[in-house]
């Protein structure tokens, strides 16, 4: 492996510590992860306890020492806020360093200026973690969906508010309690007003809109309403009428086939919205986010997953770092192939014998309707160390019963051995259905 790629981390909070944890445990990940090295880390408070163990020699309270360090090749900005984050990103770009950032507040407001500076310096500013936490949505909009004319992007793109709304709707937990939990879990912004007032979702839909429709919009022009004025009575009434209330962010094209020389009219907004229970967004609960992209000709695609938190967000940050590592490989080798795009494998894999696979099983047995038959079947499973989740008897006809068993997770070989033993019993008439459960 060539020289490692030096990472300067601005921030070691929820996301920064998650990133450090991935970089420090490369085993079993793409080999490019091994080529990443944390060389400098900026924090506000050197004495704070951290969710990642970093040698104190790497820590500094001066972010300029990170950006200006010659061994820092890529600056990862996960400190949040507008300033000094914006200036530090611009300084890194001016020094010819690529930047990875999770900071949607900066990108939504200063993305145009930052992108222009990055183009002029010949570096990248990658922002996968800025929208949707761990969900890949920036790269799909930039690349995988590139052949489409995007018609609409809509979704649940704030984990904190979705967590709050789900807990209130499903468990009746008090708002004050659940917002505290969202903060403790690392979902909320340092000022959670950004979440509950809808500003964070507005930052994110501004970014998605720019990527989907090919031109930036003014962040301040997005009508935004959060969840703070939402009354639990309305949640209740909506529920009774067949709806869930979700904080939706939407960006929709209002003209078809407009040529690229005219300004494209868009409807962009963030507000609590009644979503029919059968709609795919209605079932998105907890910290999960989901983004529906409607394109021509693809139709609808939905991107779903954890929208906030250390691990998911760090996953997106590291994906961007790996893209930069891949680009460096292209630059530095005569082969000229990006290792992430070129088909490659880095270890041996094999498929295990199916009898070794551990799963839950559903079994339906036809038996004589004898007293105690359930107990005898249960004992056979017990003798083979198969723990039963449920066992129920249904009447088949006059003197026959059907017994349905759902097991806990066991090896297929244990099920086979149990069934062999059960089949030797005179009262068992046969296995009538067998499936696995997830
Ligand atoms: P956080 O836990 O508050 O961490 C911020 C880190 O930056 C802390 O380590 C803090 O140092 C450091 N920091 C802040 N200002 C600094 C300054 N002036 N100089 C040096 N260090 C400074 O925030 P986070 O949740 O990780 O979020 C970071 C960024 O990621 C934000 O832009 C956020 O919007 C974005 N994001 C977060 C999530 C999430 O789930 N949390 C998801 C997606 C995107 P101390 O620790 O010493 O205070
Ligand atoms: N505070 C944000 C949220 C973090 O809850 O969605 C992820 O961007």
């Amino acid at each position: 492996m060539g020289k490692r790629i030096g990472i300067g981390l601005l921030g070691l909070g929820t996301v920064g510590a998650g990133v450090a944890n991935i970089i420090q445990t490369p085993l079993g990940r793409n080999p490019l992860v091994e080529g990443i090295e944390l060389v400098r880390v900026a924090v506000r408070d050197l004495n704070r306890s951290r969710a990642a163990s970093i040698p104190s020699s790497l820590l500094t309270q001066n972010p300029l020492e990170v950006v200006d360090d010659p061994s820092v090749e890529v600056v990862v900005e996960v400190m949040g806020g507008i300033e000094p984050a914006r200036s530090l990103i611009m300084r890194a770009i001016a020094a010819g360093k690529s930047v990875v950032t999770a900071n949607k507040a900066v990108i939504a407001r200063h993305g145009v200026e930052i992108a222009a500076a990055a183009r002029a310096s010949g570096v990248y500013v990658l922002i996968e973690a800025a929208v949707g936490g761990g969900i890949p949505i920036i790269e799909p909009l930039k690349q995988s969906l590139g052949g489409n004319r995007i018609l609409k992007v809509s979704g649940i793109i704030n984990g904190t508010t979705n967590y709050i709304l789900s807990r209130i709707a499903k468990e009746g937990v008090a708002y004050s309690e659940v917002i505290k939990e969202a903060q403790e879990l690392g979902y909320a912004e340092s000022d959670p007003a950004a979440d509950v007032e809808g500003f964070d979702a507005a930052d994110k839909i501004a970014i998605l809109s720019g990527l989907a429709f090919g031109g930036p919009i003014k962040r301040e022009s997005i009508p935004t309403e959060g969840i703070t004025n939402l009354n639990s009575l309305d949640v209740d009434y909506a529920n009774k009428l067949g709806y869930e209330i979700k904080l939706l962010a939407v960006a929709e094209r209002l003209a078809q086939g407009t040529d690229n020389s005219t300004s494209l009219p868009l409807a962009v907004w963030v507000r609590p919205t009644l979503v029919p229970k059968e709609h795919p967004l209605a079932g998105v609960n907890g910290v999960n986010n989901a983004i529906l992209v409607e394109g021509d000709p693809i139709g609808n695609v939905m991107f779903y997953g954890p929208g906030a938190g250390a691990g998911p967000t760090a996953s997106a940050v590291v994906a961007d770092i790996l893209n930069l590592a891949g680009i460096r490989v292209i630059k530095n080798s005569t082969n000229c192939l990006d290792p992430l795009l070129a088909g490659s494998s880095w270890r041996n894999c094999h498929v295990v014998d199916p009898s070794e696979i551990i799963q839950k099983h559903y079994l339906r047995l036809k038996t004589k309707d004898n007293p105690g038959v359930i107990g005898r079947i249960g004992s056979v499973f017990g003798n083979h160390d198969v723990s039963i989740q449920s066992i129920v008897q249904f009447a088949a006809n006059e003197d026959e019963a059907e017994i349905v068993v759902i097991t806990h997770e066991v090896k297929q070989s244990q099920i086979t051995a149990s069934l062999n033993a059960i089949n030797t019993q005179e009262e068992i008439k046969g296995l009538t259905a067998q499936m696995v459960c997830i």
Side-chain angles (χ1 to χ4, degrees), residues 10-16 42-45 48 50 61 63 78-81 84 102-104 129 186-190 308-309 313:
L10 298 173
L12 191 61
T14 302
V15 182
V43 294
R44 250 179 324 218
D45 177 357
R48 213 181 119 187
R50 305 276 164 196
Q61 282 175 302
V78 284
M79 68 199 311
N103 194 330
K104 52 272 169 152
Y187 302 157
E189 296 302 302
S190 54
T313 312

PDB file of all heavy atoms in Angstrom, residues 10-16 42-45 48 50 61 63 78-81 84 102-104 129 186-190 308-309 313, ligand 1:
ATOM      1  N   LEU A  10     -12.152  17.942  12.072  1.00  0.00           N
ATOM      2  CA  LEU A  10     -12.605  19.133  12.806  1.00  0.00           C
ATOM      3  C   LEU A  10     -13.836  18.722  13.599  1.00  0.00           C
ATOM      4  O   LEU A  10     -14.939  18.654  13.051  1.00  0.00           O
ATOM      5  CB  LEU A  10     -12.945  20.264  11.829  1.00  0.00           C
ATOM      6  CG  LEU A  10     -11.791  20.781  10.959  1.00  0.00           C
ATOM      7  CD1 LEU A  10     -12.305  21.775   9.914  1.00  0.00           C
ATOM      8  CD2 LEU A  10     -10.716  21.433  11.823  1.00  0.00           C
ATOM      9  N   GLY A  11     -13.657  18.375  14.862  1.00  0.00           N
ATOM     10  CA  GLY A  11     -14.764  17.931  15.711  1.00  0.00           C
ATOM     11  C   GLY A  11     -14.639  16.468  16.060  1.00  0.00           C
ATOM     12  O   GLY A  11     -14.322  15.631  15.208  1.00  0.00           O
ATOM     13  N   LEU A  12     -14.863  16.174  17.348  1.00  0.00           N
ATOM     14  CA  LEU A  12     -14.811  14.782  17.816  1.00  0.00           C
ATOM     15  C   LEU A  12     -16.013  14.525  18.728  1.00  0.00           C
ATOM     16  O   LEU A  12     -15.909  13.988  19.812  1.00  0.00           O
ATOM     17  CB  LEU A  12     -13.485  14.531  18.560  1.00  0.00           C
ATOM     18  CG  LEU A  12     -13.131  13.091  18.896  1.00  0.00           C
ATOM     19  CD1 LEU A  12     -12.987  12.231  17.651  1.00  0.00           C
ATOM     20  CD2 LEU A  12     -11.827  13.035  19.715  1.00  0.00           C
ATOM     21  N   GLY A  13     -17.189  15.006  18.259  1.00  0.00           N
ATOM     22  CA  GLY A  13     -18.429  14.780  19.005  1.00  0.00           C
ATOM     23  C   GLY A  13     -19.085  13.503  18.518  1.00  0.00           C
ATOM     24  O   GLY A  13     -18.403  12.516  18.226  1.00  0.00           O
ATOM     25  N   THR A  14     -20.425  13.517  18.390  1.00  0.00           N
ATOM     26  CA  THR A  14     -21.152  12.321  17.974  1.00  0.00           C
ATOM     27  C   THR A  14     -20.592  11.771  16.661  1.00  0.00           C
ATOM     28  O   THR A  14     -20.192  10.601  16.573  1.00  0.00           O
ATOM     29  CB  THR A  14     -22.653  12.662  17.785  1.00  0.00           C
ATOM     30  OG1 THR A  14     -23.144  13.176  19.012  1.00  0.00           O
ATOM     31  CG2 THR A  14     -23.455  11.447  17.390  1.00  0.00           C
ATOM     32  N   VAL A  15     -20.551  12.600  15.630  1.00  0.00           N
ATOM     33  CA  VAL A  15     -20.151  12.119  14.302  1.00  0.00           C
ATOM     34  C   VAL A  15     -18.634  11.890  14.242  1.00  0.00           C
ATOM     35  O   VAL A  15     -18.166  10.848  13.752  1.00  0.00           O
ATOM     36  CB  VAL A  15     -20.595  13.106  13.197  1.00  0.00           C
ATOM     37  CG1 VAL A  15     -20.218  12.580  11.833  1.00  0.00           C
ATOM     38  CG2 VAL A  15     -22.106  13.343  13.274  1.00  0.00           C
ATOM     39  N   GLY A  16     -17.866  12.859  14.768  1.00  0.00           N
ATOM     40  CA  GLY A  16     -16.405  12.742  14.707  1.00  0.00           C
ATOM     41  C   GLY A  16     -15.925  11.466  15.379  1.00  0.00           C
ATOM     42  O   GLY A  16     -15.069  10.750  14.839  1.00  0.00           O
ATOM     43  N   ALA A  42      -9.356  18.475  15.892  1.00  0.00           N
ATOM     44  CA  ALA A  42      -9.668  19.697  16.653  1.00  0.00           C
ATOM     45  C   ALA A  42     -10.919  19.511  17.502  1.00  0.00           C
ATOM     46  O   ALA A  42     -11.914  18.939  17.033  1.00  0.00           O
ATOM     47  CB  ALA A  42      -9.889  20.875  15.703  1.00  0.00           C
ATOM     48  N   VAL A  43     -10.839  19.944  18.743  1.00  0.00           N
ATOM     49  CA  VAL A  43     -12.002  19.927  19.653  1.00  0.00           C
ATOM     50  C   VAL A  43     -12.035  21.272  20.372  1.00  0.00           C
ATOM     51  O   VAL A  43     -11.077  22.036  20.319  1.00  0.00           O
ATOM     52  CB  VAL A  43     -11.895  18.782  20.698  1.00  0.00           C
ATOM     53  CG1 VAL A  43     -11.986  17.424  20.028  1.00  0.00           C
ATOM     54  CG2 VAL A  43     -10.624  18.894  21.522  1.00  0.00           C
ATOM     55  N   ARG A  44     -13.156  21.518  21.078  1.00  0.00           N
ATOM     56  CA  ARG A  44     -13.236  22.748  21.873  1.00  0.00           C
ATOM     57  C   ARG A  44     -12.598  22.543  23.243  1.00  0.00           C
ATOM     58  O   ARG A  44     -11.875  23.364  23.750  1.00  0.00           O
ATOM     59  CB  ARG A  44     -14.705  23.145  22.057  1.00  0.00           C
ATOM     60  CG  ARG A  44     -15.101  24.369  21.308  1.00  0.00           C
ATOM     61  CD  ARG A  44     -16.552  24.690  21.505  1.00  0.00           C
ATOM     62  NE  ARG A  44     -17.386  23.502  21.590  1.00  0.00           N
ATOM     63  CZ  ARG A  44     -18.598  23.390  21.072  1.00  0.00           C
ATOM     64  NH1 ARG A  44     -19.123  24.403  20.431  1.00  0.00           N
ATOM     65  NH2 ARG A  44     -19.291  22.297  21.209  1.00  0.00           N
ATOM     66  N   ASP A  45     -12.885  21.363  23.822  1.00  0.00           N
ATOM     67  CA  ASP A  45     -12.496  21.110  25.205  1.00  0.00           C
ATOM     68  C   ASP A  45     -11.595  19.869  25.251  1.00  0.00           C
ATOM     69  O   ASP A  45     -12.050  18.740  25.022  1.00  0.00           O
ATOM     70  CB  ASP A  45     -13.797  20.872  26.009  1.00  0.00           C
ATOM     71  CG  ASP A  45     -13.521  20.527  27.450  1.00  0.00           C
ATOM     72  OD1 ASP A  45     -12.335  20.422  27.822  1.00  0.00           O
ATOM     73  OD2 ASP A  45     -14.504  20.341  28.197  1.00  0.00           O
ATOM     74  N   ARG A  48     -12.681  16.922  27.795  1.00  0.00           N
ATOM     75  CA  ARG A  48     -13.959  16.207  27.729  1.00  0.00           C
ATOM     76  C   ARG A  48     -13.727  14.723  27.446  1.00  0.00           C
ATOM     77  O   ARG A  48     -12.821  14.368  26.694  1.00  0.00           O
ATOM     78  CB  ARG A  48     -14.769  16.821  26.575  1.00  0.00           C
ATOM     79  CG  ARG A  48     -16.245  16.818  26.807  1.00  0.00           C
ATOM     80  CD  ARG A  48     -16.960  17.415  25.607  1.00  0.00           C
ATOM     81  NE  ARG A  48     -17.851  16.422  25.041  1.00  0.00           N
ATOM     82  CZ  ARG A  48     -18.527  16.572  23.915  1.00  0.00           C
ATOM     83  NH1 ARG A  48     -18.391  17.674  23.199  1.00  0.00           N
ATOM     84  NH2 ARG A  48     -19.327  15.639  23.485  1.00  0.00           N
ATOM     85  N   ARG A  50     -14.447  11.196  25.678  1.00  0.00           N
ATOM     86  CA  ARG A  50     -14.792  10.988  24.265  1.00  0.00           C
ATOM     87  C   ARG A  50     -15.270   9.562  24.023  1.00  0.00           C
ATOM     88  O   ARG A  50     -14.846   8.630  24.696  1.00  0.00           O
ATOM     89  CB  ARG A  50     -13.544  11.214  23.381  1.00  0.00           C
ATOM     90  CG  ARG A  50     -12.879  12.560  23.576  1.00  0.00           C
ATOM     91  CD  ARG A  50     -13.556  13.615  22.752  1.00  0.00           C
ATOM     92  NE  ARG A  50     -13.183  14.966  23.188  1.00  0.00           N
ATOM     93  CZ  ARG A  50     -13.854  16.037  22.837  1.00  0.00           C
ATOM     94  NH1 ARG A  50     -14.928  15.934  22.074  1.00  0.00           N
ATOM     95  NH2 ARG A  50     -13.484  17.212  23.256  1.00  0.00           N
ATOM     96  N   GLN A  61      -6.919  22.491  20.235  1.00  0.00           N
ATOM     97  CA  GLN A  61      -8.100  23.361  20.346  1.00  0.00           C
ATOM     98  C   GLN A  61      -8.116  24.392  19.223  1.00  0.00           C
ATOM     99  O   GLN A  61      -9.044  25.181  19.132  1.00  0.00           O
ATOM    100  CB  GLN A  61      -8.087  24.084  21.696  1.00  0.00           C
ATOM    101  CG  GLN A  61      -8.552  23.184  22.828  1.00  0.00           C
ATOM    102  CD  GLN A  61      -8.415  23.862  24.160  1.00  0.00           C
ATOM    103  OE1 GLN A  61      -7.313  24.286  24.547  1.00  0.00           O
ATOM    104  NE2 GLN A  61      -9.506  23.995  24.881  1.00  0.00           N
ATOM    105  N   PRO A  63      -8.437  24.811  15.402  1.00  0.00           N
ATOM    106  CA  PRO A  63      -8.766  24.123  14.143  1.00  0.00           C
ATOM    107  C   PRO A  63      -7.824  24.486  12.996  1.00  0.00           C
ATOM    108  O   PRO A  63      -7.644  23.695  12.076  1.00  0.00           O
ATOM    109  CB  PRO A  63     -10.192  24.603  13.836  1.00  0.00           C
ATOM    110  CG  PRO A  63     -10.699  25.276  15.042  1.00  0.00           C
ATOM    111  CD  PRO A  63      -9.531  25.665  15.892  1.00  0.00           C
ATOM    112  N   VAL A  78     -16.730  18.088  10.910  1.00  0.00           N
ATOM    113  CA  VAL A  78     -17.901  17.575  11.635  1.00  0.00           C
ATOM    114  C   VAL A  78     -18.021  18.331  12.960  1.00  0.00           C
ATOM    115  O   VAL A  78     -18.254  17.748  14.013  1.00  0.00           O
ATOM    116  CB  VAL A  78     -17.820  16.036  11.858  1.00  0.00           C
ATOM    117  CG1 VAL A  78     -18.151  15.297  10.576  1.00  0.00           C
ATOM    118  CG2 VAL A  78     -16.453  15.600  12.372  1.00  0.00           C
ATOM    119  N   MET A  79     -17.839  19.643  12.880  1.00  0.00           N
ATOM    120  CA  MET A  79     -17.949  20.471  14.088  1.00  0.00           C
ATOM    121  C   MET A  79     -19.318  21.135  14.162  1.00  0.00           C
ATOM    122  O   MET A  79     -19.808  21.443  15.236  1.00  0.00           O
ATOM    123  CB  MET A  79     -16.813  21.502  14.150  1.00  0.00           C
ATOM    124  CG  MET A  79     -16.879  22.584  13.100  1.00  0.00           C
ATOM    125  SD  MET A  79     -15.292  23.429  12.830  1.00  0.00           S
ATOM    126  CE  MET A  79     -14.783  23.818  14.445  1.00  0.00           C
ATOM    127  N   GLY A  80     -19.932  21.378  13.007  1.00  0.00           N
ATOM    128  CA  GLY A  80     -21.259  21.999  12.975  1.00  0.00           C
ATOM    129  C   GLY A  80     -21.198  23.506  13.075  1.00  0.00           C
ATOM    130  O   GLY A  80     -20.125  24.101  13.255  1.00  0.00           O
ATOM    131  N   GLY A  81     -22.382  24.148  12.932  1.00  0.00           N
ATOM    132  CA  GLY A  81     -22.466  25.613  12.986  1.00  0.00           C
ATOM    133  C   GLY A  81     -21.997  26.226  11.679  1.00  0.00           C
ATOM    134  O   GLY A  81     -21.437  25.544  10.815  1.00  0.00           O
ATOM    135  N   PRO A  84     -16.906  28.854  12.897  1.00  0.00           N
ATOM    136  CA  PRO A  84     -15.868  28.981  11.863  1.00  0.00           C
ATOM    137  C   PRO A  84     -15.886  27.877  10.809  1.00  0.00           C
ATOM    138  O   PRO A  84     -14.971  27.831   9.966  1.00  0.00           O
ATOM    139  CB  PRO A  84     -14.579  28.903  12.681  1.00  0.00           C
ATOM    140  CG  PRO A  84     -14.903  27.980  13.811  1.00  0.00           C
ATOM    141  CD  PRO A  84     -16.345  28.250  14.151  1.00  0.00           C
ATOM    142  N   ALA A 102     -20.361  16.996   7.043  1.00  0.00           N
ATOM    143  CA  ALA A 102     -21.730  16.569   7.365  1.00  0.00           C
ATOM    144  C   ALA A 102     -22.590  17.793   7.645  1.00  0.00           C
ATOM    145  O   ALA A 102     -23.724  17.666   8.101  1.00  0.00           O
ATOM    146  CB  ALA A 102     -21.690  15.669   8.608  1.00  0.00           C
ATOM    147  N   ASN A 103     -22.039  18.972   7.360  1.00  0.00           N
ATOM    148  CA  ASN A 103     -22.645  20.223   7.820  1.00  0.00           C
ATOM    149  C   ASN A 103     -23.647  20.780   6.804  1.00  0.00           C
ATOM    150  O   ASN A 103     -23.320  21.593   5.943  1.00  0.00           O
ATOM    151  CB  ASN A 103     -21.519  21.227   8.076  1.00  0.00           C
ATOM    152  CG  ASN A 103     -21.981  22.420   8.858  1.00  0.00           C
ATOM    153  OD1 ASN A 103     -23.134  22.817   8.769  1.00  0.00           O
ATOM    154  ND2 ASN A 103     -21.073  23.006   9.613  1.00  0.00           N
ATOM    155  N   LYS A 104     -24.912  20.342   6.943  1.00  0.00           N
ATOM    156  CA  LYS A 104     -25.926  20.795   5.971  1.00  0.00           C
ATOM    157  C   LYS A 104     -26.228  22.283   6.123  1.00  0.00           C
ATOM    158  O   LYS A 104     -26.611  22.950   5.160  1.00  0.00           O
ATOM    159  CB  LYS A 104     -27.216  19.986   6.089  1.00  0.00           C
ATOM    160  CG  LYS A 104     -27.808  19.894   7.482  1.00  0.00           C
ATOM    161  CD  LYS A 104     -27.240  18.725   8.234  1.00  0.00           C
ATOM    162  CE  LYS A 104     -27.595  18.768   9.693  1.00  0.00           C
ATOM    163  NZ  LYS A 104     -27.666  17.481  10.309  1.00  0.00           N
ATOM    164  N   ALA A 129     -22.956  12.762   4.128  1.00  0.00           N
ATOM    165  CA  ALA A 129     -23.512  12.692   5.486  1.00  0.00           C
ATOM    166  C   ALA A 129     -24.433  13.860   5.822  1.00  0.00           C
ATOM    167  O   ALA A 129     -25.096  13.854   6.861  1.00  0.00           O
ATOM    168  CB  ALA A 129     -22.372  12.644   6.501  1.00  0.00           C
ATOM    169  N   GLY A 186     -27.713  11.473  20.586  1.00  0.00           N
ATOM    170  CA  GLY A 186     -26.842  12.115  19.587  1.00  0.00           C
ATOM    171  C   GLY A 186     -27.556  12.437  18.295  1.00  0.00           C
ATOM    172  O   GLY A 186     -26.917  12.713  17.285  1.00  0.00           O
ATOM    173  N   TYR A 187     -28.902  12.412  18.292  1.00  0.00           N
ATOM    174  CA  TYR A 187     -29.639  12.703  17.055  1.00  0.00           C
ATOM    175  C   TYR A 187     -29.800  14.203  16.827  1.00  0.00           C
ATOM    176  O   TYR A 187     -29.795  14.669  15.689  1.00  0.00           O
ATOM    177  CB  TYR A 187     -31.053  12.098  17.096  1.00  0.00           C
ATOM    178  CG  TYR A 187     -31.134  10.610  17.309  1.00  0.00           C
ATOM    179  CD1 TYR A 187     -32.286  10.026  17.834  1.00  0.00           C
ATOM    180  CD2 TYR A 187     -30.062   9.769  16.983  1.00  0.00           C
ATOM    181  CE1 TYR A 187     -32.378   8.653  18.017  1.00  0.00           C
ATOM    182  CE2 TYR A 187     -30.158   8.403  17.180  1.00  0.00           C
ATOM    183  CZ  TYR A 187     -31.317   7.850  17.701  1.00  0.00           C
ATOM    184  OH  TYR A 187     -31.405   6.509  17.893  1.00  0.00           O
ATOM    185  N   ALA A 188     -30.008  14.931  17.914  1.00  0.00           N
ATOM    186  CA  ALA A 188     -30.401  16.341  17.779  1.00  0.00           C
ATOM    187  C   ALA A 188     -29.203  17.229  17.466  1.00  0.00           C
ATOM    188  O   ALA A 188     -28.058  16.891  17.772  1.00  0.00           O
ATOM    189  CB  ALA A 188     -31.070  16.798  19.067  1.00  0.00           C
ATOM    190  N   GLU A 189     -29.469  18.366  16.842  1.00  0.00           N
ATOM    191  CA  GLU A 189     -28.428  19.382  16.625  1.00  0.00           C
ATOM    192  C   GLU A 189     -28.055  19.991  17.970  1.00  0.00           C
ATOM    193  O   GLU A 189     -28.806  19.869  18.943  1.00  0.00           O
ATOM    194  CB  GLU A 189     -28.969  20.470  15.692  1.00  0.00           C
ATOM    195  CG  GLU A 189     -29.297  19.976  14.303  1.00  0.00           C
ATOM    196  CD  GLU A 189     -28.093  19.352  13.594  1.00  0.00           C
ATOM    197  OE1 GLU A 189     -27.073  20.024  13.431  1.00  0.00           O
ATOM    198  OE2 GLU A 189     -28.175  18.168  13.218  1.00  0.00           O
ATOM    199  N   SER A 190     -26.900  20.692  18.019  1.00  0.00           N
ATOM    200  CA  SER A 190     -26.469  21.244  19.307  1.00  0.00           C
ATOM    201  C   SER A 190     -27.544  22.207  19.831  1.00  0.00           C
ATOM    202  O   SER A 190     -27.770  22.288  21.032  1.00  0.00           O
ATOM    203  CB  SER A 190     -25.106  21.922  19.204  1.00  0.00           C
ATOM    204  OG  SER A 190     -25.140  22.872  18.184  1.00  0.00           O
ATOM    205  N   ALA A 308     -29.887   9.607  11.501  1.00  0.00           N
ATOM    206  CA  ALA A 308     -29.010  10.371  12.400  1.00  0.00           C
ATOM    207  C   ALA A 308     -28.308   9.382  13.325  1.00  0.00           C
ATOM    208  O   ALA A 308     -28.617   8.196  13.331  1.00  0.00           O
ATOM    209  CB  ALA A 308     -29.833  11.379  13.219  1.00  0.00           C
ATOM    210  N   GLY A 309     -27.359   9.920  14.102  1.00  0.00           N
ATOM    211  CA  GLY A 309     -26.645   9.071  15.058  1.00  0.00           C
ATOM    212  C   GLY A 309     -25.219   8.832  14.607  1.00  0.00           C
ATOM    213  O   GLY A 309     -24.881   9.002  13.424  1.00  0.00           O
ATOM    214  N   THR A 313     -24.114   8.112  10.512  1.00  0.00           N
ATOM    215  CA  THR A 313     -23.559   9.321   9.886  1.00  0.00           C
ATOM    216  C   THR A 313     -22.083   9.120   9.561  1.00  0.00           C
ATOM    217  O   THR A 313     -21.602   9.523   8.491  1.00  0.00           O
ATOM    218  CB  THR A 313     -23.768  10.541  10.808  1.00  0.00           C
ATOM    219  OG1 THR A 313     -25.126  10.542  11.244  1.00  0.00           O
ATOM    220  CG2 THR A 313     -23.489  11.834  10.084  1.00  0.00           C
TER     221      THR A 313
HETATM  222  P1  LIG B   1     -21.370  17.473  18.353  1.00  0.00           P
HETATM  223  O1  LIG B   1     -21.576  16.171  18.984  1.00  0.00           O
HETATM  224  O2  LIG B   1     -21.822  18.704  19.027  1.00  0.00           O
HETATM  225  O3  LIG B   1     -19.816  17.597  18.018  1.00  0.00           O
HETATM  226  C1  LIG B   1     -19.200  18.780  17.570  1.00  0.00           C
HETATM  227  C2  LIG B   1     -17.703  18.642  17.760  1.00  0.00           C
HETATM  228  O4  LIG B   1     -17.047  19.769  17.207  1.00  0.00           O
HETATM  229  C3  LIG B   1     -17.294  18.553  19.218  1.00  0.00           C
HETATM  230  O5  LIG B   1     -16.265  17.614  19.361  1.00  0.00           O
HETATM  231  C4  LIG B   1     -16.772  19.963  19.534  1.00  0.00           C
HETATM  232  O6  LIG B   1     -15.758  19.951  20.506  1.00  0.00           O
HETATM  233  C5  LIG B   1     -16.193  20.344  18.183  1.00  0.00           C
HETATM  234  N1  LIG B   1     -16.192  21.791  17.975  1.00  0.00           N
HETATM  235  C6  LIG B   1     -17.275  22.594  17.831  1.00  0.00           C
HETATM  236  N2  LIG B   1     -16.878  23.855  17.632  1.00  0.00           N
HETATM  237  C7  LIG B   1     -15.523  23.850  17.648  1.00  0.00           C
HETATM  238  C8  LIG B   1     -14.534  24.841  17.515  1.00  0.00           C
HETATM  239  N3  LIG B   1     -14.820  26.123  17.301  1.00  0.00           N
HETATM  240  N4  LIG B   1     -13.231  24.453  17.580  1.00  0.00           N
HETATM  241  C9  LIG B   1     -12.895  23.178  17.789  1.00  0.00           C
HETATM  242  N5  LIG B   1     -13.802  22.179  17.921  1.00  0.00           N
HETATM  243  C10 LIG B   1     -15.093  22.522  17.849  1.00  0.00           C
HETATM  244  O7  LIG B   1     -22.030  17.503  16.901  1.00  0.00           O
HETATM  245  P2  LIG B   1     -22.363  16.252  15.959  1.00  0.00           P
HETATM  246  O8  LIG B   1     -23.691  15.727  16.320  1.00  0.00           O
HETATM  247  O9  LIG B   1     -21.200  15.347  15.878  1.00  0.00           O
HETATM  248  O10 LIG B   1     -22.582  17.004  14.557  1.00  0.00           O
HETATM  249  C11 LIG B   1     -21.497  17.484  13.832  1.00  0.00           C
HETATM  250  C12 LIG B   1     -21.971  17.919  12.447  1.00  0.00           C
HETATM  251  O11 LIG B   1     -22.538  16.812  11.781  1.00  0.00           O
HETATM  252  C13 LIG B   1     -23.051  18.998  12.456  1.00  0.00           C
HETATM  253  O12 LIG B   1     -22.876  19.812  11.317  1.00  0.00           O
HETATM  254  C14 LIG B   1     -24.332  18.215  12.310  1.00  0.00           C
HETATM  255  O13 LIG B   1     -25.377  18.942  11.729  1.00  0.00           O
HETATM  256  C15 LIG B   1     -23.869  17.122  11.387  1.00  0.00           C
HETATM  257  N6  LIG B   1     -24.649  15.880  11.455  1.00  0.00           N
HETATM  258  C16 LIG B   1     -24.919  15.299  12.653  1.00  0.00           C
HETATM  259  C17 LIG B   1     -25.615  14.112  12.697  1.00  0.00           C
HETATM  260  C18 LIG B   1     -25.944  13.422  13.988  1.00  0.00           C
HETATM  261  O14 LIG B   1     -26.676  12.431  13.966  1.00  0.00           O
HETATM  262  N7  LIG B   1     -25.439  13.877  15.114  1.00  0.00           N
HETATM  263  C19 LIG B   1     -26.037  13.517  11.508  1.00  0.00           C
HETATM  264  C20 LIG B   1     -25.742  14.132  10.285  1.00  0.00           C
HETATM  265  C21 LIG B   1     -25.039  15.308  10.275  1.00  0.00           C
HETATM  266  P3  LIG B   1     -16.052  19.528  22.035  1.00  0.00           P
HETATM  267  O15 LIG B   1     -16.412  18.069  21.956  1.00  0.00           O
HETATM  268  O16 LIG B   1     -14.776  19.737  22.745  1.00  0.00           O
HETATM  269  O17 LIG B   1     -17.203  20.378  22.485  1.00  0.00           O
END
